[in-house]
PDB file of all heavy atoms in Angstrom:
ATOM      1  N   ARG A 353      69.784  88.694 109.820  1.00  0.00           N
ATOM      2  CA  ARG A 353      68.616  88.080 109.171  1.00  0.00           C
ATOM      3  C   ARG A 353      68.542  88.394 107.647  1.00  0.00           C
ATOM      4  O   ARG A 353      67.895  87.587 106.862  1.00  0.00           O
ATOM      5  CB  ARG A 353      67.343  88.531 109.819  1.00  0.00           C
ATOM      6  CG  ARG A 353      67.275  88.124 111.299  1.00  0.00           C
ATOM      7  CD  ARG A 353      65.983  88.599 111.967  1.00  0.00           C
ATOM      8  NE  ARG A 353      64.826  88.033 111.362  1.00  0.00           N
ATOM      9  CZ  ARG A 353      63.591  88.296 111.651  1.00  0.00           C
ATOM     10  NH1 ARG A 353      63.352  89.106 112.661  1.00  0.00           N
ATOM     11  NH2 ARG A 353      62.576  87.686 111.086  1.00  0.00           N
ATOM     12  N   ALA A 354      69.172  89.433 107.178  1.00  0.00           N
ATOM     13  CA  ALA A 354      69.253  89.735 105.728  1.00  0.00           C
ATOM     14  C   ALA A 354      70.634  89.489 105.129  1.00  0.00           C
ATOM     15  O   ALA A 354      70.779  89.482 103.860  1.00  0.00           O
ATOM     16  CB  ALA A 354      68.749  91.135 105.478  1.00  0.00           C
ATOM     17  N   VAL A 356      73.327  91.353 105.021  1.00  0.00           N
ATOM     18  CA  VAL A 356      73.819  92.429 104.156  1.00  0.00           C
ATOM     19  C   VAL A 356      74.863  93.337 104.852  1.00  0.00           C
ATOM     20  O   VAL A 356      75.252  94.401 104.362  1.00  0.00           O
ATOM     21  CB  VAL A 356      72.627  93.305 103.699  1.00  0.00           C
ATOM     22  CG1 VAL A 356      71.686  92.512 102.875  1.00  0.00           C
ATOM     23  CG2 VAL A 356      71.944  93.999 104.871  1.00  0.00           C
ATOM     24  N   LEU A 378      60.288  83.888 107.664  1.00  0.00           N
ATOM     25  CA  LEU A 378      59.143  84.191 106.847  1.00  0.00           C
ATOM     26  C   LEU A 378      59.387  83.954 105.391  1.00  0.00           C
ATOM     27  O   LEU A 378      60.594  83.823 104.974  1.00  0.00           O
ATOM     28  CB  LEU A 378      58.837  85.703 106.996  1.00  0.00           C
ATOM     29  CG  LEU A 378      58.505  86.201 108.428  1.00  0.00           C
ATOM     30  CD1 LEU A 378      58.333  87.725 108.520  1.00  0.00           C
ATOM     31  CD2 LEU A 378      57.262  85.582 108.875  1.00  0.00           C
ATOM     32  N   LYS A 379      58.311  83.767 104.611  1.00  0.00           N
ATOM     33  CA  LYS A 379      58.485  83.497 103.203  1.00  0.00           C
ATOM     34  C   LYS A 379      59.103  84.700 102.465  1.00  0.00           C
ATOM     35  O   LYS A 379      58.690  85.843 102.654  1.00  0.00           O
ATOM     36  CB  LYS A 379      57.142  83.085 102.580  1.00  0.00           C
ATOM     37  CG  LYS A 379      57.194  82.595 101.192  1.00  0.00           C
ATOM     38  CD  LYS A 379      55.816  82.261 100.637  1.00  0.00           C
ATOM     39  CE  LYS A 379      55.835  81.829  99.210  1.00  0.00           C
ATOM     40  NZ  LYS A 379      54.568  81.494  98.641  1.00  0.00           N
ATOM     41  N   GLU A 380      60.142  84.397 101.645  1.00  0.00           N
ATOM     42  CA  GLU A 380      60.703  85.431 100.868  1.00  0.00           C
ATOM     43  C   GLU A 380      59.730  86.051  99.895  1.00  0.00           C
ATOM     44  O   GLU A 380      58.959  85.330  99.329  1.00  0.00           O
ATOM     45  CB  GLU A 380      61.987  84.920 100.177  1.00  0.00           C
ATOM     46  CG  GLU A 380      63.064  84.425 101.042  1.00  0.00           C
ATOM     47  CD  GLU A 380      63.859  85.607 101.613  1.00  0.00           C
ATOM     48  OE1 GLU A 380      63.688  86.725 101.183  1.00  0.00           O
ATOM     49  OE2 GLU A 380      64.663  85.360 102.566  1.00  0.00           O
ATOM     50  N   THR A 381      59.852  87.357  99.635  1.00  0.00           N
ATOM     51  CA  THR A 381      59.034  88.043  98.643  1.00  0.00           C
ATOM     52  C   THR A 381      60.011  88.426  97.528  1.00  0.00           C
ATOM     53  O   THR A 381      61.203  88.322  97.586  1.00  0.00           O
ATOM     54  CB  THR A 381      58.421  89.329  99.237  1.00  0.00           C
ATOM     55  OG1 THR A 381      59.488  90.231  99.597  1.00  0.00           O
ATOM     56  CG2 THR A 381      57.525  88.994 100.400  1.00  0.00           C
ATOM     57  N   ARG A 382      59.430  88.773  96.383  1.00  0.00           N
ATOM     58  CA  ARG A 382      60.232  89.100  95.212  1.00  0.00           C
ATOM     59  C   ARG A 382      61.085  90.256  95.553  1.00  0.00           C
ATOM     60  O   ARG A 382      62.233  90.299  95.152  1.00  0.00           O
ATOM     61  CB  ARG A 382      59.273  89.441  93.995  1.00  0.00           C
ATOM     62  CG  ARG A 382      60.026  89.847  92.773  1.00  0.00           C
ATOM     63  CD  ARG A 382      59.094  90.030  91.603  1.00  0.00           C
ATOM     64  NE  ARG A 382      59.839  90.561  90.474  1.00  0.00           N
ATOM     65  CZ  ARG A 382      60.540  89.875  89.549  1.00  0.00           C
ATOM     66  NH1 ARG A 382      60.774  88.550  89.866  1.00  0.00           N
ATOM     67  NH2 ARG A 382      61.189  90.440  88.575  1.00  0.00           N
ATOM     68  N   GLY A 383      60.588  91.275  96.291  1.00  0.00           N
ATOM     69  CA  GLY A 383      61.378  92.500  96.596  1.00  0.00           C
ATOM     70  C   GLY A 383      62.528  92.140  97.535  1.00  0.00           C
ATOM     71  O   GLY A 383      63.586  92.624  97.316  1.00  0.00           O
ATOM     72  N   SER A 384      62.287  91.241  98.558  1.00  0.00           N
ATOM     73  CA  SER A 384      63.487  90.866  99.423  1.00  0.00           C
ATOM     74  C   SER A 384      64.561  90.156  98.647  1.00  0.00           C
ATOM     75  O   SER A 384      65.698  90.305  98.912  1.00  0.00           O
ATOM     76  CB  SER A 384      62.894  90.056 100.596  1.00  0.00           C
ATOM     77  OG  SER A 384      62.408  88.836 100.154  1.00  0.00           O
ATOM     78  N   VAL A 385      64.065  89.300  97.705  1.00  0.00           N
ATOM     79  CA  VAL A 385      65.108  88.396  96.941  1.00  0.00           C
ATOM     80  C   VAL A 385      65.901  89.424  96.062  1.00  0.00           C
ATOM     81  O   VAL A 385      67.120  89.298  95.982  1.00  0.00           O
ATOM     82  CB  VAL A 385      64.323  87.428  96.054  1.00  0.00           C
ATOM     83  CG1 VAL A 385      65.408  86.788  95.071  1.00  0.00           C
ATOM     84  CG2 VAL A 385      63.763  86.364  96.971  1.00  0.00           C
ATOM     85  N   LEU A 386      65.212  90.376  95.424  1.00  0.00           N
ATOM     86  CA  LEU A 386      65.957  91.285  94.500  1.00  0.00           C
ATOM     87  C   LEU A 386      66.903  92.153  95.311  1.00  0.00           C
ATOM     88  O   LEU A 386      68.063  92.467  94.879  1.00  0.00           O
ATOM     89  CB  LEU A 386      64.961  92.201  93.789  1.00  0.00           C
ATOM     90  CG  LEU A 386      64.129  91.430  92.721  1.00  0.00           C
ATOM     91  CD1 LEU A 386      63.132  92.454  92.138  1.00  0.00           C
ATOM     92  CD2 LEU A 386      64.974  90.903  91.653  1.00  0.00           C
ATOM     93  N   LEU A 387      66.498  92.646  96.495  1.00  0.00           N
ATOM     94  CA  LEU A 387      67.391  93.446  97.334  1.00  0.00           C
ATOM     95  C   LEU A 387      68.611  92.664  97.783  1.00  0.00           C
ATOM     96  O   LEU A 387      69.738  93.179  97.795  1.00  0.00           O
ATOM     97  CB  LEU A 387      66.589  94.070  98.551  1.00  0.00           C
ATOM     98  CG  LEU A 387      65.777  95.288  98.309  1.00  0.00           C
ATOM     99  CD1 LEU A 387      65.092  95.704  99.563  1.00  0.00           C
ATOM    100  CD2 LEU A 387      66.780  96.439  97.819  1.00  0.00           C
ATOM    101  N   LYS A 388      68.389  91.487  98.192  1.00  0.00           N
ATOM    102  CA  LYS A 388      69.482  90.578  98.706  1.00  0.00           C
ATOM    103  C   LYS A 388      70.488  90.329  97.514  1.00  0.00           C
ATOM    104  O   LYS A 388      71.695  90.334  97.739  1.00  0.00           O
ATOM    105  CB  LYS A 388      69.022  89.270  99.269  1.00  0.00           C
ATOM    106  CG  LYS A 388      68.344  89.393 100.673  1.00  0.00           C
ATOM    107  CD  LYS A 388      67.971  88.066 101.179  1.00  0.00           C
ATOM    108  CE  LYS A 388      67.252  88.256 102.586  1.00  0.00           C
ATOM    109  NZ  LYS A 388      66.849  86.958 103.129  1.00  0.00           N
ATOM    110  N   GLU A 389      69.912  90.046  96.375  1.00  0.00           N
ATOM    111  CA  GLU A 389      70.865  89.902  95.166  1.00  0.00           C
ATOM    112  C   GLU A 389      71.575  91.138  94.845  1.00  0.00           C
ATOM    113  O   GLU A 389      72.743  91.009  94.496  1.00  0.00           O
ATOM    114  CB  GLU A 389      69.922  89.466  93.949  1.00  0.00           C
ATOM    115  CG  GLU A 389      69.347  88.057  94.106  1.00  0.00           C
ATOM    116  CD  GLU A 389      68.484  87.744  92.884  1.00  0.00           C
ATOM    117  OE1 GLU A 389      68.242  88.585  92.066  1.00  0.00           O
ATOM    118  OE2 GLU A 389      68.026  86.539  92.824  1.00  0.00           O
ATOM    119  N   PHE A 390      70.937  92.292  95.051  1.00  0.00           N
ATOM    120  CA  PHE A 390      71.647  93.553  94.781  1.00  0.00           C
ATOM    121  C   PHE A 390      72.859  93.742  95.770  1.00  0.00           C
ATOM    122  O   PHE A 390      73.949  94.090  95.326  1.00  0.00           O
ATOM    123  CB  PHE A 390      70.705  94.657  94.943  1.00  0.00           C
ATOM    124  CG  PHE A 390      71.327  96.066  94.788  1.00  0.00           C
ATOM    125  CD1 PHE A 390      71.622  96.551  93.525  1.00  0.00           C
ATOM    126  CD2 PHE A 390      71.685  96.778  95.931  1.00  0.00           C
ATOM    127  CE1 PHE A 390      72.233  97.782  93.419  1.00  0.00           C
ATOM    128  CE2 PHE A 390      72.268  98.049  95.812  1.00  0.00           C
ATOM    129  CZ  PHE A 390      72.558  98.566  94.552  1.00  0.00           C
ATOM    130  N   PHE A 391      72.590  93.529  97.043  1.00  0.00           N
ATOM    131  CA  PHE A 391      73.682  93.580  98.056  1.00  0.00           C
ATOM    132  C   PHE A 391      74.740  92.545  97.829  1.00  0.00           C
ATOM    133  O   PHE A 391      75.897  92.797  98.080  1.00  0.00           O
ATOM    134  CB  PHE A 391      73.091  93.484  99.388  1.00  0.00           C
ATOM    135  CG  PHE A 391      72.483  94.826  99.954  1.00  0.00           C
ATOM    136  CD1 PHE A 391      71.094  95.006  99.946  1.00  0.00           C
ATOM    137  CD2 PHE A 391      73.330  95.779 100.384  1.00  0.00           C
ATOM    138  CE1 PHE A 391      70.566  96.204 100.391  1.00  0.00           C
ATOM    139  CE2 PHE A 391      72.799  96.957 100.879  1.00  0.00           C
ATOM    140  CZ  PHE A 391      71.424  97.152 100.820  1.00  0.00           C
ATOM    141  N   ASP A 392      74.390  91.298  97.456  1.00  0.00           N
ATOM    142  CA  ASP A 392      75.324  90.269  97.169  1.00  0.00           C
ATOM    143  C   ASP A 392      76.190  90.587  95.991  1.00  0.00           C
ATOM    144  O   ASP A 392      77.412  90.363  95.933  1.00  0.00           O
ATOM    145  CB  ASP A 392      74.667  88.890  96.973  1.00  0.00           C
ATOM    146  CG  ASP A 392      74.097  88.433  98.250  1.00  0.00           C
ATOM    147  OD1 ASP A 392      74.474  88.806  99.359  1.00  0.00           O
ATOM    148  OD2 ASP A 392      73.092  87.554  98.162  1.00  0.00           O
ATOM    149  N   PHE A 684      63.173 101.067 105.647  1.00  0.00           N
ATOM    150  CA  PHE A 684      62.752 100.557 104.324  1.00  0.00           C
ATOM    151  C   PHE A 684      63.331  99.165 104.102  1.00  0.00           C
ATOM    152  O   PHE A 684      62.649  98.265 103.627  1.00  0.00           O
ATOM    153  CB  PHE A 684      63.286 101.537 103.270  1.00  0.00           C
ATOM    154  CG  PHE A 684      63.080 101.023 101.807  1.00  0.00           C
ATOM    155  CD1 PHE A 684      61.888 101.295 101.157  1.00  0.00           C
ATOM    156  CD2 PHE A 684      64.046 100.347 101.152  1.00  0.00           C
ATOM    157  CE1 PHE A 684      61.630 100.827  99.911  1.00  0.00           C
ATOM    158  CE2 PHE A 684      63.804  99.868  99.880  1.00  0.00           C
ATOM    159  CZ  PHE A 684      62.599 100.126  99.239  1.00  0.00           C
ATOM    160  N   LEU A 685      64.535  98.939 104.426  1.00  0.00           N
ATOM    161  CA  LEU A 685      65.252  97.623 104.283  1.00  0.00           C
ATOM    162  C   LEU A 685      64.649  96.672 105.243  1.00  0.00           C
ATOM    163  O   LEU A 685      64.453  95.491 104.943  1.00  0.00           O
ATOM    164  CB  LEU A 685      66.749  97.777 104.476  1.00  0.00           C
ATOM    165  CG  LEU A 685      67.491  98.660 103.532  1.00  0.00           C
ATOM    166  CD1 LEU A 685      68.988  98.692 103.938  1.00  0.00           C
ATOM    167  CD2 LEU A 685      67.338  98.127 102.084  1.00  0.00           C
ATOM    168  N   ILE A 686      64.362  97.093 106.477  1.00  0.00           N
ATOM    169  CA  ILE A 686      63.762  96.110 107.430  1.00  0.00           C
ATOM    170  C   ILE A 686      62.382  95.625 106.972  1.00  0.00           C
ATOM    171  O   ILE A 686      62.037  94.492 107.084  1.00  0.00           O
ATOM    172  CB  ILE A 686      63.546  96.867 108.803  1.00  0.00           C
ATOM    173  CG1 ILE A 686      64.929  97.171 109.474  1.00  0.00           C
ATOM    174  CG2 ILE A 686      62.771  95.956 109.761  1.00  0.00           C
ATOM    175  CD1 ILE A 686      65.722  95.991 109.905  1.00  0.00           C
ATOM    176  N   ILE A 687      61.525  96.557 106.463  1.00  0.00           N
ATOM    177  CA  ILE A 687      60.187  96.210 106.024  1.00  0.00           C
ATOM    178  C   ILE A 687      60.270  95.138 104.902  1.00  0.00           C
ATOM    179  O   ILE A 687      59.537  94.149 104.857  1.00  0.00           O
ATOM    180  CB  ILE A 687      59.405  97.439 105.613  1.00  0.00           C
ATOM    181  CG1 ILE A 687      59.132  98.340 106.796  1.00  0.00           C
ATOM    182  CG2 ILE A 687      58.110  97.029 104.883  1.00  0.00           C
ATOM    183  CD1 ILE A 687      58.557  99.682 106.461  1.00  0.00           C
ATOM    184  N   VAL A 688      61.215  95.397 103.929  1.00  0.00           N
ATOM    185  CA  VAL A 688      61.239  94.506 102.764  1.00  0.00           C
ATOM    186  C   VAL A 688      62.021  93.245 103.125  1.00  0.00           C
ATOM    187  O   VAL A 688      61.613  92.097 102.786  1.00  0.00           O
ATOM    188  CB  VAL A 688      61.875  95.230 101.584  1.00  0.00           C
ATOM    189  CG1 VAL A 688      62.005  94.314 100.356  1.00  0.00           C
ATOM    190  CG2 VAL A 688      61.013  96.483 101.146  1.00  0.00           C
ATOM    191  N   MET A 689      63.191  93.290 103.697  1.00  0.00           N
ATOM    192  CA  MET A 689      64.122  92.165 103.805  1.00  0.00           C
ATOM    193  C   MET A 689      63.909  91.311 105.119  1.00  0.00           C
ATOM    194  O   MET A 689      64.312  90.197 105.143  1.00  0.00           O
ATOM    195  CB  MET A 689      65.540  92.686 103.759  1.00  0.00           C
ATOM    196  CG  MET A 689      65.803  93.509 102.445  1.00  0.00           C
ATOM    197  SD  MET A 689      67.545  94.069 102.348  1.00  0.00           S
ATOM    198  CE  MET A 689      68.385  92.546 101.973  1.00  0.00           C
ATOM    199  N   VAL A 690      63.405  91.902 106.107  1.00  0.00           N
ATOM    200  CA  VAL A 690      63.190  91.297 107.391  1.00  0.00           C
ATOM    201  C   VAL A 690      61.768  90.950 107.697  1.00  0.00           C
ATOM    202  O   VAL A 690      61.382  89.758 107.965  1.00  0.00           O
ATOM    203  CB  VAL A 690      63.798  92.052 108.575  1.00  0.00           C
ATOM    204  CG1 VAL A 690      63.575  91.382 109.863  1.00  0.00           C
ATOM    205  CG2 VAL A 690      65.327  92.390 108.326  1.00  0.00           C
ATOM    206  N   TRP A 691      60.811  91.934 107.584  1.00  0.00           N
ATOM    207  CA  TRP A 691      59.433  91.682 107.740  1.00  0.00           C
ATOM    208  C   TRP A 691      58.840  91.011 106.531  1.00  0.00           C
ATOM    209  O   TRP A 691      57.694  90.590 106.613  1.00  0.00           O
ATOM    210  CB  TRP A 691      58.706  93.026 108.121  1.00  0.00           C
ATOM    211  CG  TRP A 691      59.094  93.579 109.394  1.00  0.00           C
ATOM    212  CD1 TRP A 691      59.893  92.919 110.410  1.00  0.00           C
ATOM    213  CD2 TRP A 691      58.680  94.840 109.950  1.00  0.00           C
ATOM    214  NE1 TRP A 691      59.999  93.780 111.418  1.00  0.00           N
ATOM    215  CE2 TRP A 691      59.274  94.922 111.223  1.00  0.00           C
ATOM    216  CE3 TRP A 691      57.952  95.862 109.469  1.00  0.00           C
ATOM    217  CZ2 TRP A 691      59.156  96.080 112.019  1.00  0.00           C
ATOM    218  CZ3 TRP A 691      57.812  97.029 110.234  1.00  0.00           C
ATOM    219  CH2 TRP A 691      58.452  97.105 111.534  1.00  0.00           C
ATOM    220  N   LYS A 692      59.502  91.046 105.405  1.00  0.00           N
ATOM    221  CA  LYS A 692      59.020  90.382 104.123  1.00  0.00           C
ATOM    222  C   LYS A 692      57.696  90.960 103.698  1.00  0.00           C
ATOM    223  O   LYS A 692      56.890  90.244 103.170  1.00  0.00           O
ATOM    224  CB  LYS A 692      58.823  88.883 104.347  1.00  0.00           C
ATOM    225  CG  LYS A 692      60.201  88.200 104.807  1.00  0.00           C
ATOM    226  CD  LYS A 692      61.230  88.301 103.741  1.00  0.00           C
ATOM    227  CE  LYS A 692      62.412  87.355 104.117  1.00  0.00           C
ATOM    228  NZ  LYS A 692      63.151  87.656 105.339  1.00  0.00           N
ATOM    229  N   ARG A 693      57.560  92.249 103.757  1.00  0.00           N
ATOM    230  CA  ARG A 693      56.357  92.993 103.254  1.00  0.00           C
ATOM    231  C   ARG A 693      56.612  93.411 101.820  1.00  0.00           C
ATOM    232  O   ARG A 693      57.790  93.407 101.356  1.00  0.00           O
ATOM    233  CB  ARG A 693      55.984  94.202 104.107  1.00  0.00           C
ATOM    234  CG  ARG A 693      55.703  93.856 105.565  1.00  0.00           C
ATOM    235  CD  ARG A 693      54.310  93.073 105.587  1.00  0.00           C
ATOM    236  NE  ARG A 693      53.888  92.908 106.976  1.00  0.00           N
ATOM    237  CZ  ARG A 693      54.132  91.790 107.761  1.00  0.00           C
ATOM    238  NH1 ARG A 693      54.778  90.851 107.182  1.00  0.00           N
ATOM    239  NH2 ARG A 693      53.658  91.748 108.956  1.00  0.00           N
ATOM    240  N   LYS A 694      55.595  93.770 101.059  1.00  0.00           N
ATOM    241  CA  LYS A 694      55.772  94.180  99.730  1.00  0.00           C
ATOM    242  C   LYS A 694      56.486  95.464  99.686  1.00  0.00           C
ATOM    243  O   LYS A 694      56.427  96.363 100.549  1.00  0.00           O
ATOM    244  CB  LYS A 694      54.328  94.363  99.093  1.00  0.00           C
ATOM    245  CG  LYS A 694      53.644  92.985  98.923  1.00  0.00           C
ATOM    246  CD  LYS A 694      52.324  93.265  98.233  1.00  0.00           C
ATOM    247  CE  LYS A 694      51.559  91.934  98.011  1.00  0.00           C
ATOM    248  NZ  LYS A 694      50.290  92.071  97.335  1.00  0.00           N
ATOM    249  N   VAL A 695      57.207  95.630  98.565  1.00  0.00           N
ATOM    250  CA  VAL A 695      58.035  96.847  98.367  1.00  0.00           C
ATOM    251  C   VAL A 695      57.131  98.105  98.413  1.00  0.00           C
ATOM    252  O   VAL A 695      57.528  99.181  98.878  1.00  0.00           O
ATOM    253  CB  VAL A 695      58.799  96.822  96.988  1.00  0.00           C
ATOM    254  CG1 VAL A 695      59.541  98.116  96.774  1.00  0.00           C
ATOM    255  CG2 VAL A 695      59.785  95.723  97.009  1.00  0.00           C
ATOM    256  N   ALA A 698      56.864  99.408 101.911  1.00  0.00           N
ATOM    257  CA  ALA A 698      58.052 100.123 102.272  1.00  0.00           C
ATOM    258  C   ALA A 698      58.167 101.541 101.697  1.00  0.00           C
ATOM    259  O   ALA A 698      58.597 102.475 102.268  1.00  0.00           O
ATOM    260  CB  ALA A 698      59.221  99.260 102.021  1.00  0.00           C
TER     261      ALA A 698
END
Side-chain angles (χ1 to χ4, degrees):
R353 299 181 60 183
V356 298
L378 300 174
K379 184 180 179 180
E380 295 285 348
T381 63
R382 178 174 175 80
S384 65
V385 172
L386 290 176
L387 277 177
K388 287 183 179 180
E389 290 177 353
F390 176 81
F391 278 101
D392 291 338
F684 175 85
L685 298 178
I686 293 290
I687 292 171
V688 177
M689 304 180 73
V690 178
W691 292 352
K692 304 296 191 296
R693 298 290 188 265
K694 293 182 179 180
V695 175

